[in-house]
Amino acid sequence: MQKIRLQKMTRELCHELYKGWQNDDAIFMDMSMFKPFEYSPEKVDKYFDSKQEPTRILFAIMLEDKPIGEVQLKQIDFDNKECELSIHMQNDDFKCKGYGTEAERQAIQYAFDELGLEKVNADIIVKNTRSQHILDKLGFEFIKQEGDFKYYHLEKKKWLQA
């Protein structure tokens, strides 16, 4: 596997990423909401701008010098020392190759080491078995299922023991 790295997302990287984007039907519970992605500079600018907040860090997943996905630490709560993790890969060319697992591993390490957090949470839709597998591999603990969502968390002390 080629090495990937995380880089803080810039507007330019965001546009480069979304020019090759394909929506993934595995993340839609209601398939009536699923539509093929169409690149629009205005929509990408709006998306990028919406992610610029103090409780969120948006990273580009870089394979060499090309963005192949994004990973976010969001709802960062320094008082409770926790955040939520989410990931999206650009298209099927980059899935099932270990890139997402490594990107999440790096984001978790950043949350614990750089941000000083103690817990990382994640939620996924039930039918997204690929993400469930990654969370299991990384040591997340399943908490509960409510409706179409499963909820997980990973505590720093468990991460350090792995």
Side-chain angles (χ1 to χ4, degrees):
M1 176 179 77
Q2 294 174 287
K3 289 190 102 161
I4 60 109
R5 63 184 169 77
L6 299 184
Q7 180 175 326
K8 293 259 176 94
M9 184 71 80
T10 63
R11 187 176 303 279
E12 294 76 22
L13 284 173
C14 197
H15 279 276
E16 188 178 339
L17 174 65
Y18 280 93
K19 284 178 183 172
W21 195 264
Q22 294 175 351
N23 280 342
D24 183 352
D25 62 0
I27 64 169
F28 287 84
M29 279 307 294
D30 181 354
M31 288 307 294
S32 70
M33 304 280 293
F34 179 80
K35 295 181 178 98
F37 179 79
E38 293 181 28
Y39 174 75
S40 158
E42 297 79 21
K43 286 182 182 176
V44 173
D45 280 339
K46 185 175 180 181
Y47 172 78
F48 179 79
D49 291 342
S50 75
K51 303 303 176 193
Q52 306 309 304
E53 53 190 52
T55 60
R56 181 186 306 264
I57 301 173
L58 178 61
F59 293 103
I61 302 168
M62 303 296 292
L63 180 61
E64 297 176 1
D65 291 328
K66 177 182 176 15
I68 63 167
E70 65 179 34
V71 64
Q72 297 182 55
L73 298 173
K74 56 189 183 179
Q75 298 174 2
I76 300 169
D77 181 342
F78 289 104
D79 292 337
N80 291 313
K81 296 187 179 253
E82 64 184 324
C83 71
E84 187 176 316
L85 174 73
S86 71
I87 186 169
H88 299 100
M89 300 302 284
Q90 183 180 50
N91 59 51
D92 287 345
D93 292 343
F94 304 109
K95 295 176 185 170
C96 299
K97 296 184 180 196
Y99 300 137
T101 303
E102 180 57 25
E104 288 192 19
R105 182 177 285 114
Q106 290 179 27
I108 292 164
Q109 198 71 50
Y110 186 91
F112 292 150
D113 293 349
E114 301 299 321
L115 300 178
L117 304 180
E118 298 291 328
K119 187 180 355 175
V120 175
N121 302 304
D123 61 68
I124 55 175
I125 65 168
V126 171
K127 77 177 198 174
N128 190 347
T129 57
R130 184 172 38 234
S131 284
Q132 291 172 45
H133 173 71
I134 291 171
L135 293 179
D136 289 340
K137 219 176 4 176
L138 291 171
F140 277 78
E141 180 182 341
F142 172 74
I143 303 299
K144 65 182 175 182
Q145 180 175 337
E146 286 182 358
D148 295 332
F149 286 89
K150 288 185 173 183
Y151 296 88
Y152 295 80
H153 77 236
L154 175 64
E155 294 184 13
K156 183 177 183 177
K157 60 186 173 190
K158 184 174 180 185
W159 177 259
L160 294 175
Q161 295 169 352

